[in-house]
């Protein structure tokens, strides 16, 4: 049930109907736009949404899908139903083009796996176009929409005779025209023409008696007459008779072809319905792309759980102006069924209310809605709205009376499957009485189990929501310092109307505002002040939390780099030890071999003195040469003298990248790595730190060397790009990782991709609730080298994979 009757007009759905009509190609699709209806059938809604989601993929990635000749042939089919009726050549041509388009659509879907577009395939399963029928039409109607010469042997004979007679006729007329030109009866640049279906010659009016024949017409000025020469009367008559004969034969062929269509009428009507549905679904898919809409998870229960929801019409309007709509996050479930939104005027309360009503109506009418992945939409049986007023002179209704009439309907028909939306609840009468009646109505709606959203300025309703189970306060955020609306909905606390602050901003005298505060009472003034202070403090703490998060991410990255460096050093040490052990083994083996050879030679020479001495000399030579230890060169390092901080005299000149600086009042000296506004990144030994510029003094290179020593700065090792290229994969899988861990790995992955010159990278984060996907994309926006991000193709992961384009 919908309430009131003007539901669509109040929410702006009539404008969406107009946009859908414009997106349709033919009246076939437009007829279905007019049939859009609100439904509470879960299976039907789910099927309609999935059809649109599948067609959205086709519009984005399948340009070969047919997009022309969606013609409305329903009048032709109605004409065929009547016995004895005959379709014209033009009507058959439209039918031919339409059947060809239907066949192309069916062929496209048949060429895909059933799992790719299951719901569109289900729509096409019952549609058939008999091949005999299309072949019969093709044999008769050519691609210009005319009956073919070979449609029948008789027609072919007649047309050959007509062509032959016309050639003979033209030959005779050419001779007559040559003579007429020679005689000066007609200008040289005039040729024969047709009048009343007969070939004639233009002759000057003063010479019309000189040429025997029949005058069919004359020019507007009367200076030229069109004469059919007597010599061609018979030939023209013969041609006319054959044309009548041709016309009769064409009519006979078309009549037979029309009769051939009649048994196929049910099949043709189903095919036409299919074509109209395809046009209609495509229009919904194109509109979904216009408003950047997607398909939320659909559940068969009352629920609203939307992330980044946007008003579609406002989105299109802002898109033209180059602006973006502030999105809306909303949760209405069994725990918090009714949301009470408060805040200042022009803060976005009414827009939020209309967004909720319009999107819920769209989803239950089979349209995708502009929300992001992770959103869930439920199904309601009733949608009630009270926006604007229904005051009427005829019914003697005032604004407040019209609101009470709506509230009567709400209280009477509301149940657990109802979603109600009320704008400016309780206004239109004396505030005290209006607030009391509004609270009583809200209490009754709460007992009914209905779901709803209410906009109000009344404090008693905010207090009622705070102490009543199932109700929750919400506020449209407002910048209390600059007195500007932020258009963001925040659930969990009431909002302030900022009446006194706005009054001060527009220039009302301060004594007047002070008197108003006195009349209001200290309790209410303090409540408004507290709400304002809470809003400011929350914004400050949100900024601080963001800074803490960034610092934690940087710390995690530095920790990961330190651990990686330690691992690399450990591996280098182990590799050197292994190499040393291998060399030692080789030397020991060679020494043992030489000893054995020496012993064998001594034995073989029977301990002869000269040979024994020679063998011993060779062994000693090997010991001196091969096993001699290498002499280590000791590093000559000048021990830095202790220099007190006051001996470091600052050097003149501005601090720049590469300068040597010391921290004022300390002996710590470092090198400047980067300047970021008023912050400076410096290196002190192996550590990096960020310090305010005004805390640093520039010192000379000599002072820096004396303080840290020549060898304090480690020599940087080279990077093996070939090894990095071999080990690098353009595909990063971070599924299941925590946010901080994933961000560190993502930083390393992007840096390596940039170093190796990759133009495109893939990040697999999974779908889930979309949290990791949002973190990844927000972090990628901090890299200036990233030009664009988009979802992967649906066949290769869809929204679970982000494809990154690099500069």
């Amino acid at each position: 049930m919908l309430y009131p009757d003007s539901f669509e007009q109040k929410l702006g759905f009539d404008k969406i109907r107009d946009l859908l009509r414009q997106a349709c190609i033919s009246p076939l699709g437009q007829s279905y736009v007019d049939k859009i209806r609100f439904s509470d059938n879960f299976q039907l809604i789910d099927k309609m949404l999935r059809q649109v989601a599948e067609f959205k993929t086709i519009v984005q990635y399948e340009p070969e899908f047919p997009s022309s000749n969606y013609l409305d042939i329903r009048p032709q089919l109605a004409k065929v139903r009547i016995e004895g009726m005959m379709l014209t050549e033009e009507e058959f041509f439209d039918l031919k083009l339409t059947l060809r388009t239907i066949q192309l659509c069916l062929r496209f879907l048949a060429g895909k796996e059933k799992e790719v577009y299951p719901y569109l395939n289900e729509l096409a399963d019952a549609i058939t176009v008999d091949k005999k029928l299309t072949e019969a039409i093709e044999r008769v109607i050519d691609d210009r929409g005319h009956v073919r010469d070979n449609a029948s042997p008789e027609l072919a004979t007649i047309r050959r005779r007509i062509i032959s007679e016309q050639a003979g006729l033209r030959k005779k007329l050419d001779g007559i025209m040559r003579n007429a030109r020679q005689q000066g009866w007609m200008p040289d640049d005039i040729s024969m023409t047709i009048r009343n279906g007969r070939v004639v010659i233009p002759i000057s009016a003063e010479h019309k008696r000189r040429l025997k024949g029949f005058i069919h017409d004359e020019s507007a000025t009367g200076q030229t007459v069109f004469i059919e020469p007597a010599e061609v009367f018979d030939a023209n008559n013969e041609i006319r008779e054959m044309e009548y004969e041709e016309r009769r034969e064409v009519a006979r062929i078309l009549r037979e072809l029309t009769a051939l269509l009649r048994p196929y009428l049910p099949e043709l009507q189903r095919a036409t319905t299919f074509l109209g549905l395809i046009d209609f679904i495509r229009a919904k898919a194109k509109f979904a792309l216009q408003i950047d809409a997607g398909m939320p998870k659909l559940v068969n229960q009352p629920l609203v759980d939307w992330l980044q929801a946007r008003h579609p019409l406002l989105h299109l309007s802002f898109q033209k102006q180059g602006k973006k709509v502030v999105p809306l996050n909303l949760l209405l479930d069994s725990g918090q069924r009714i949301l009470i939104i408060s805040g200042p005027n022009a803060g976005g309360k009414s827009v939020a209310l209309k967004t909720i009503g319009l999107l819920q109506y769209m989803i239950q009418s089979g349209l995708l809605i502009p929300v992001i992945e992770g959103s869930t939409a439920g199904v309601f049986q009733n949608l009630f709205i009270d926006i604007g007023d229904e005051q009427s002179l005829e019914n003697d209704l005032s604004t407040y009376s019209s609101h009470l009439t709506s509230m009567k309907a709400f209280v009477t028909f509301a149940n657990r499957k109802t979603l109600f939306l009320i704008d400016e609840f309780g206004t239109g009468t004396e505030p005290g009485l209006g607030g009391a009646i509004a609270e009583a109505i809200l209490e009754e709606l709460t007992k009914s189990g209905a779901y709803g959203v209410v906009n109000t300025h009344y404090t008693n309703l905010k207090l009622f929501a705070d102490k009543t189970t199932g109700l929750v306060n919400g506020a449209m955020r407002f910048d209390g310092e600059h007195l500007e609306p932020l258009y963001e909905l925040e659930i969990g606390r009431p909002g302030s109307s900022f009446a006194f602050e706005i009054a001060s901003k527009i220039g009302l005298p301060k004594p007047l505002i002070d008197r108003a505060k006195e009349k209001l009472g200290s309790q209410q003034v303090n409540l408004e002040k507290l709400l304002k202070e809470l809003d400011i403090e929350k914004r400050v703490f949100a900024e601080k939390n963001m800074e803490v998060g960034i610092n934690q991410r940087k710390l995690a990255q530095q920790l990961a780099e330190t651990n990686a460096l330690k691992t690399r050093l450990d591996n280098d040490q182990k590799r050197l030890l292994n190499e040393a052990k291998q060399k030692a083994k080789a030397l020991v083996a060679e020494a043992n071999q030489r000893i054995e050879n020496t012993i064998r030679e001594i034995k073989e020479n029977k301990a002869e003195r000269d040979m024994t001495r020679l063998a011993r000399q060779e062994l000693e030579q090997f010991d001196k040469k091969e096993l001699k230890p290498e002499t280590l060169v000791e590093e000559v390092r000048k021990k830095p003298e202790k220099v007190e901080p006051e001996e470091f005299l600052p050097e003149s000149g501005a601090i720049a990248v590469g300068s040597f600086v010391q921290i004022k009042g300390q002996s710590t000296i470092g090198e400047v790595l980067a300047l970021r506004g008023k912050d400076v990144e410096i290196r002190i030994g192996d550590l990096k730190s960020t310090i305010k510029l005004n805390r640093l003094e520039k010192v000379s290179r000599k002072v820096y060397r004396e303080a840290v020593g020549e060898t304090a700065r480690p020599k940087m090792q080279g990077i093996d790009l070939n090894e990095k290229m071999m080990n690098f994969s353009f595909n990063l899988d971070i599924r299941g990782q925590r946010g901080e861990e994933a961000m560190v790995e993502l930083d390393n992955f992007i840096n390596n991709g940039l170093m190796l010159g990759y133009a495109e990278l893939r990040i697999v984060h999974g779908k889930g609730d979309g949290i990791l996907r949002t973190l990844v994309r927000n972090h990628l926006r901090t890299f200036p080298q990233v030009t664009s991000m988009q979802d992967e193709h649906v066949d290769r992961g869809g929204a679970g994979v982000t494809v990154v384009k690099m500069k």
Side-chain angles (χ1 to χ4, degrees):
M1 176 181 175
L2 299 175
Y3 183 90
D5 294 336
S6 57
F7 188 95
E8 288 193 2
Q9 290 74 24
K10 283 183 174 292
L11 290 180
F13 189 77
D14 53 336
K15 296 181 177 64
I16 291 180
R17 281 189 193 269
D18 293 337
L19 293 172
L20 289 173
R21 287 191 195 94
Q22 295 171 19
C24 289
I25 298 175
S26 75
L28 284 171
Q30 292 172 351
S31 66
Y32 284 99
V33 174
D34 297 330
K35 296 176 184 176
I36 293 176
R37 294 293 182 271
F38 172 83
S39 172
D40 60 356
N41 185 320
F42 175 78
Q43 285 76 19
L44 177 61
I45 296 170
D46 186 63
K47 180 186 290 187
M48 290 191 296
L49 292 177
R50 293 186 184 277
Q51 287 173 347
V52 180
E54 290 178 4
F55 221 119
K56 182 183 172 187
T57 303
I58 291 176
V59 173
Q60 286 180 294
Y61 305 111
E62 307 281 4
E64 66 272 19
F65 192 89
S67 58
S68 60
N69 294 325
Y70 284 69
L71 305 175
D72 187 1
I73 58 170
R74 290 175 296 182
Q76 286 92 314
L77 298 182
K79 192 174 178 181
V80 170
R81 188 175 288 108
I82 303 171
E83 289 285 344
M85 293 297 290
M86 175 192 75
L87 297 183
T88 64
E89 290 176 298
E90 293 80 5
E91 290 171 333
F92 266 115
F93 187 54
D94 288 348
L95 179 62
K96 173 183 174 178
L97 294 177
T98 301
L99 292 180
R100 184 180 294 173
T101 302
I102 294 170
Q103 286 179 317
L104 290 173
C105 293
L106 296 175
R107 196 174 301 142
F108 172 87
L109 294 173
K112 304 290 181 181
E113 296 290 335
K114 290 283 186 181
E115 297 78 15
V116 178
Y117 303 118
Y119 288 87
L120 292 177
N121 268 301
E122 180 186 349
L123 195 64
D125 283 344
I127 308 303
T128 56
V129 177
D130 197 300
K131 189 176 180 181
K132 295 179 181 178
L133 178 62
T134 56
E135 288 177 349
I137 297 174
E138 189 67 36
R139 280 197 303 271
V140 173
I141 305 297
D142 63 17
D143 289 337
R144 295 177 300 166
H146 301 305
V147 175
R148 298 180 186 273
D149 293 346
N150 59 356
S152 72
E154 293 82 2
L155 183 60
T157 302
I158 293 170
R159 287 184 173 174
R160 280 197 301 270
R161 287 169 52 202
I162 290 175
I163 292 171
S164 177
E165 287 293 333
Q166 286 177 340
L169 176 62
R170 286 185 175 279
K171 189 174 180 180
K172 289 181 182 180
L173 287 172
D174 284 340
I176 295 172
M177 288 180 67
R178 267 197 312 272
N179 182 58
R181 287 194 184 98
Q182 291 173 358
Q183 298 294 332
W185 301 343
M186 61 183 294
D188 292 340
D189 57 345
I190 292 181
S191 60
M192 63 185 74
T193 185
I194 302 293
R195 286 293 185 273
N196 301 322
R198 302 173 77 88
V199 183
V200 296
I201 297 175
I203 298 292
S204 298
E206 63 267 22
H207 301 298
K208 63 183 178 181
R209 303 296 180 189
R210 298 179 181 276
L211 182 65
K212 292 182 179 180
F214 182 79
I215 298 176
H216 283 272
D217 198 2
E218 68 176 4
S219 64
T221 60
Q223 294 180 0
T224 303
V225 295
F226 299 93
I227 300 176
E228 179 185 4
E231 294 93 324
V232 297
F233 276 170
D234 293 339
N236 264 331
N237 288 337
E238 184 70 20
I239 291 172
R240 289 299 293 272
E241 288 177 7
M242 285 189 288
E243 287 175 347
Y244 293 145
E245 190 177 350
E246 176 195 21
R247 200 174 301 165
R248 288 192 296 271
E249 180 62 17
V250 168
R252 183 190 67 78
I253 294 170
L254 295 178
R255 195 173 290 109
E256 288 182 359
L257 187 58
T258 304
L260 180 66
L261 291 178
R262 202 162 285 120
Y264 294 97
L265 273 177
E267 177 183 319
L268 292 173
Q269 287 171 337
R270 285 195 300 271
T272 304
T273 300
F274 167 77
L275 191 64
L277 281 172
I278 288 294
D279 188 18
F280 173 55
I281 297 170
R282 193 223 315 262
K284 292 197 288 185
K286 289 167 67 177
F287 179 67
L289 287 172
Q290 278 184 291
I291 62 174
D292 194 19
M295 181 175 174
K297 179 183 177 183
L298 192 68
V299 294
N300 192 13
Q301 66 184 59
L303 177 68
V304 176
D305 185 4
W306 297 340
L307 302 174
Q308 305 289 299
R310 288 162 284 111
H311 193 292
L313 299 177
L314 195 61
H315 172 80
L316 292 176
S317 175
F318 276 26
Q319 198 174 53
K320 294 178 181 177
Q321 303 172 37
K323 299 190 294 184
K324 290 186 177 181
V325 177
V326 178
L328 180 73
N329 294 325
L330 180 69
L331 174 63
L332 297 179
D333 58 10
S334 57
Q336 52 178 49
R337 292 179 290 105
I338 301 176
L339 173 64
I340 309 298
I341 302 178
S342 50
N345 288 323
K349 299 192 301 297
S350 297
V351 173
L353 203 70
K354 289 182 178 180
T355 301
I356 297 166
L358 181 58
L359 296 193
Q360 189 62 45
Y361 188 76
M362 286 174 64
I363 203 80
Q364 292 193 229
S365 298
L367 295 173
L368 301 183
I369 59 174
V371 294
I372 65 170
E373 184 182 354
S375 300
T376 304
V379 176
F380 292 90
Q381 196 176 62
N382 306 314
L383 288 185
F384 299 158
I385 62 170
D386 180 38
I387 299 174
D389 62 63
E390 297 288 337
Q391 61 177 325
S392 169
L393 294 176
E394 291 79 5
N395 298 326
D396 194 26
L397 287 177
S398 66
T399 298
Y400 187 64
S401 298
S402 71
H403 286 308
L404 288 181
T405 303
S406 298
M407 293 306 101
K408 176 185 174 183
F410 285 20
V411 171
T412 303
F413 298 108
N415 57 29
R416 295 182 180 275
K417 293 186 177 181
T418 297
L419 176 65
F420 64 86
L421 307 171
I422 305 175
D423 193 23
E424 299 296 345
F425 197 20
T427 58
T429 188
E430 196 273 321
L433 297 177
I437 294 175
E439 185 173 340
I441 293 172
L442 187 57
E443 186 176 358
E444 193 67 25
L445 289 173
T446 305
K447 291 178 182 178
S448 72
Y451 293 70
V453 181
V454 174
N455 290 345
T456 187
H457 289 286
Y458 288 151
T459 303
N460 66 311
L461 297 184
K462 302 177 192 178
L463 297 174
F464 179 74
D466 188 55
K467 66 184 180 182
T468 305
T469 303
L471 274 69
V472 63
N473 274 304
M476 298 308 297
R477 293 192 60 199
F478 194 81
D479 187 343
E481 294 179 312
H482 303 94
L483 298 180
E484 294 176 350
L486 301 176
Y487 306 110
E488 297 175 5
L489 174 61
E490 182 181 355
I491 297 178
R493 68 171 185 84
S496 169
S497 296
F498 289 90
F500 294 128
E501 290 79 5
I502 294 174
S504 298
K505 183 180 180 181
I506 65 175
L508 281 181
K510 187 176 184 302
L512 189 151
I513 297 174
D514 292 338
R515 286 201 305 274
K517 290 180 179 179
E518 292 173 3
K519 293 179 181 296
L520 183 63
S522 61
Q523 183 177 1
Q524 181 66 27
V525 172
N526 291 337
L527 176 62
E528 292 289 327
K529 181 180 178 182
L530 179 61
L531 290 174
K532 175 187 173 183
E533 291 174 352
L534 283 174
D535 184 73
I536 295 173
E537 288 179 5
K538 180 169 184 178
R539 187 167 66 253
V540 171
F541 281 115
E543 294 173 355
K544 294 293 184 184
N545 285 337
M546 185 180 297
E547 291 179 7
V548 170
I550 293 172
N551 291 333
Q552 287 179 340
R553 189 163 65 248
K554 288 181 178 179
L555 180 61
Q557 182 177 353
Q558 291 175 356
L559 180 61
E561 291 174 355
T562 302
N563 291 335
L565 178 61
K566 182 179 180 299
T567 302
R568 187 168 71 249
L569 292 174
D570 290 343
N571 290 336
D572 289 344
Q573 183 182 15
K574 291 175 182 178
R575 185 169 60 252
L576 291 172
L577 287 173
N578 290 336
E579 291 175 357
K581 289 177 181 179
Q582 291 294 333
K583 290 180 179 179
K585 285 181 181 180
L587 288 172
V588 170
E590 186 177 353
N592 288 334
Q593 184 66 38
R594 285 181 176 273
I595 292 170
E596 290 176 2
N597 291 340
T598 303
I599 294 171
R600 187 174 62 252
E601 289 177 2
I602 292 172
K603 287 181 178 180
E604 289 176 353
N605 294 303
K606 297 179 180 180
E608 290 182 6
R609 188 182 299 252
D610 294 337
M611 296 302 296
T612 302
R613 187 174 59 254
L614 184 60
R616 288 181 179 279
Q617 287 177 354
E618 289 180 358
L619 188 61
E620 290 173 359
Q621 186 67 25
F622 171 77
D623 176 59
K624 291 178 180 179
K625 182 178 180 182
E626 299 296 334
L627 301 182
K628 181 182 179 182
E630 298 289 338
T631 303
L632 296 177
V633 179
E634 294 186 3
E635 296 183 29
V636 179
R637 181 171 178 178
K638 181 180 178 181
K639 184 176 181 181
E641 297 179 1
K642 185 175 180 181
V643 183
E644 296 300 327
E646 57 269 16
E647 295 179 9
F648 290 163
L649 298 177
E651 187 178 353
S652 60
I655 295 176
V657 174
S659 298
F660 300 106
V661 294
Q662 70 169 340
I663 301 175
K664 294 179 180 178
Q666 299 182 26
S667 60
T668 306
I669 293 184
E671 181 181 1
V672 176
L673 299 179
L675 294 173
R676 299 187 182 91
K678 295 182 179 180
D679 294 331
V680 182
E681 183 179 2
I682 66 172
R683 179 172 57 216
I684 304 172
D686 292 331
L687 299 176
K688 295 180 182 178
S689 179
T690 301
I691 300 176
K692 294 295 183 181
L693 181 61
N694 56 13
R695 293 187 57 198
L696 299 176
E697 292 179 337
K698 186 175 180 181
V699 298
S700 66
R701 179 181 295 271
K702 179 180 178 181
V703 172
Y704 173 80
R705 288 177 176 175
E706 290 175 352
V708 302
E710 288 291 335
T711 60
R713 187 172 176 179
K715 183 178 180 182
M716 296 186 67
Q717 296 181 351
I719 298 174
D720 191 342
L721 288 178
N722 291 329
E723 183 181 353
K724 273 191 174 291
M725 183 69 77
M726 290 173 62
N727 297 329
F728 183 76
S729 170
F730 70 92
N731 194 76
L732 175 65
D733 191 343
I734 56 175
R735 288 175 292 182
Q737 296 186 12
R738 294 184 300 109
E740 294 177 359
E741 178 185 1
M743 293 305 102
V744 173
E745 193 166 344
L746 178 61
D747 281 337
N748 294 332
F749 176 65
I750 295 296
N751 290 334
N752 288 335
L754 289 169
M755 182 188 302
L756 298 176
Y758 277 78
E760 181 176 301
L761 301 173
R762 294 175 79 255
I763 302 167
V764 182
H765 42 65
K767 296 181 180 178
D769 296 329
I771 297 173
L772 188 55
R773 173 176 176 264
T774 303
L775 282 174
V776 167
R777 296 199 172 182
N778 288 340
H779 190 59
L780 286 173
R781 291 188 181 96
T782 64
F783 287 87
Q785 297 87 353
V786 174
T787 58
S788 67
M789 295 170 281
Q790 63 185 23
D791 291 346
E792 178 60 281
H793 189 279
V794 68
D795 295 340
R796 298 189 291 274
V801 179
T802 294
V803 178
V804 184
K805 303 284 186 181
M806 314 293 287
K807 288 184 179 177

